[in-house]
Amino acid sequence: MGVSVCLASGKGGVGKSTIAANLGVALSKMGINTVLVDGDLEGASLGLLLGVDPGSPSIHDCLAGKMSCREALVEAYGTKVMVGSINIERLVDISLDRFPKVLAELTGMFDILLLDAPAGLGSDAITLMSSCHSLILVLTPDINSVTNTLKTLAVAKKVGVAVLGAIVSRTGGEYDIPSDQIEELMKVKIIAEMPEEELVKRSLNEAVPIYVGYPASTYSAQIKVVAKKLIGV
Ligand SMILES: Nc1ncnc2c1ncn2[C@@H]1O[C@H](COP(=O)(O)OP(=O)(O)OP(=O)(O)O)[C@@H](O)[C@H]1O
Ligand SMILES: [Mg+2]
């Protein structure tokens, strides 16, 4: 039985999916049997980040009961991934009730399951968060993001998921709230700071994760820091 880690955020666009995709690749390269799962059914993006063929099997097929978990897995850059479909028609006929079972089954097959959750506190986000063993919060260093992350944190505590820490994302701006202040405000350990880097956007255009395409970047070095913390190195 592996562990499931949910990457969650109070706000959208903070860099969760980018972190999830690269973390999955990094953990796999370190020899950890890892599976990435796209939990953002309406805004699926792991497939785009990892250059997966849009016609590939997806979590939507699995939630619609058309495929088993094993059949819906694809491989990308050495990691296993259950992408979300970007086809709007696939949103019909899916059952969210199946999600906890899918996550439990996959957790049994891998050492680490990384779940890219939808932003905010909609019912699907809460269901997914509650179905994982642990949670990493992703936020940007501004008051809007901190305020909304405090709500996510409160819900996480209520549903009893273990909070491993927070990643401050898209850092390096003149008006950033410093990480030690964020730590103090939220009473949560900051695991890493992911810098705002143009190479992240270039990597999305190239459909190659930055950890693979630009391993010497500061972003990739920080991904390695998070991966090592996750496996306790
Ligand atoms: N560190 C970074 N430096 C530069 N651009 C970044 C960085 N992190 C993310 N981005 C860009 O910001 C956008 C949002 O990133 P991403 O999709 O990873 O966020 P998200 O939190 O998953 O968003 P959503 O909540 O909408 O799913 C993307 O265009 C991505 O390339
Ligand atoms: Mg996302």
Side-chain angles (χ1 to χ4, degrees):
M1 185 73 180
V3 292
S4 49
V5 182
C6 176
L7 286 163
S9 71
K11 260 173 54 62
V14 296
K16 254 180 341 292
S17 301
T18 311
I19 293 169
N22 283 284
L23 199 51
V25 171
L27 286 165
S28 297
K29 282 195 188 299
M30 289 174 185
I32 309 297
N33 192 17
T34 307
V35 63
L36 271 167
V37 180
D38 203 330
D40 192 348
L41 299 178
E42 288 160 25
S45 63
L46 286 184
L48 299 171
L49 282 154
L50 292 164
V52 174
D53 183 331
S56 297
S58 69
I59 186 137
H60 292 76
D61 295 314
C62 200
L63 294 176
K66 291 182 192 156
M67 271 182 201
S68 69
C69 280
R70 210 174 277 278
E71 286 167 336
L73 289 172
V74 297
E75 177 134 5
Y77 297 101
T79 193
K80 285 283 195 299
V81 55
M82 194 178 273
V83 298
S85 172
I86 53 170
N87 183 345
I88 191 160
E89 283 160 30
R90 296 285 173 86
L91 281 173
V92 184
D93 290 340
I94 55 171
S95 162
L96 264 182
D97 298 347
R98 287 203 184 98
F99 226 133
K101 220 174 133 246
V102 168
L103 291 179
E105 190 176 336
L106 288 172
T107 308
M109 290 162 61
F110 292 88
D111 297 330
I112 294 188
L113 179 152
L114 284 181
L115 176 75
D116 182 21
L121 289 169
S123 60
D124 45 351
I126 295 177
T127 303
L128 294 184
M129 190 192 291
S130 322
S131 309
C132 286
H133 296 121
S134 50
L135 179 86
I136 294 179
L137 297 159
V138 182
L139 75 161
T140 47
D142 58 88
I143 193 63
N144 197 357
S145 190
V146 171
T147 306
N148 284 293
T149 305
L150 283 169
K151 294 181 210 158
T152 309
L153 183 60
V155 172
K157 285 186 177 155
K158 202 167 176 186
V159 300
V161 57
V163 179
L164 299 179
I167 296 174
V168 186
S169 179
R170 315 196 66 168
T171 62
E174 196 180 341
Y175 301 104
D176 284 4
I177 303 177
S179 284
D180 55 343
Q181 278 184 31
I182 296 178
E183 217 165 43
E184 215 170 287
L185 275 166
M186 297 204 325
K187 310 271 181 283
V188 166
K189 185 114 202 78
I190 305 292
I191 302 173
E193 287 182 15
M194 311 306 303
E196 178 78 15
E197 251 181 51
E198 280 301 301
L199 284 176
V200 171
K201 289 173 188 157
R202 182 165 173 178
S203 301
L204 178 61
N205 277 353
E206 292 167 350
V208 178
I210 184 170
Y211 194 80
V212 174
Y214 304 98
S217 60
T218 315
Y219 190 97
S220 297
Q222 286 299 293
I223 286 289
K224 201 175 234 173
V225 167
V226 181
K228 284 185 170 175
K229 287 219 170 125
L230 268 182
I231 57 181
V233 177

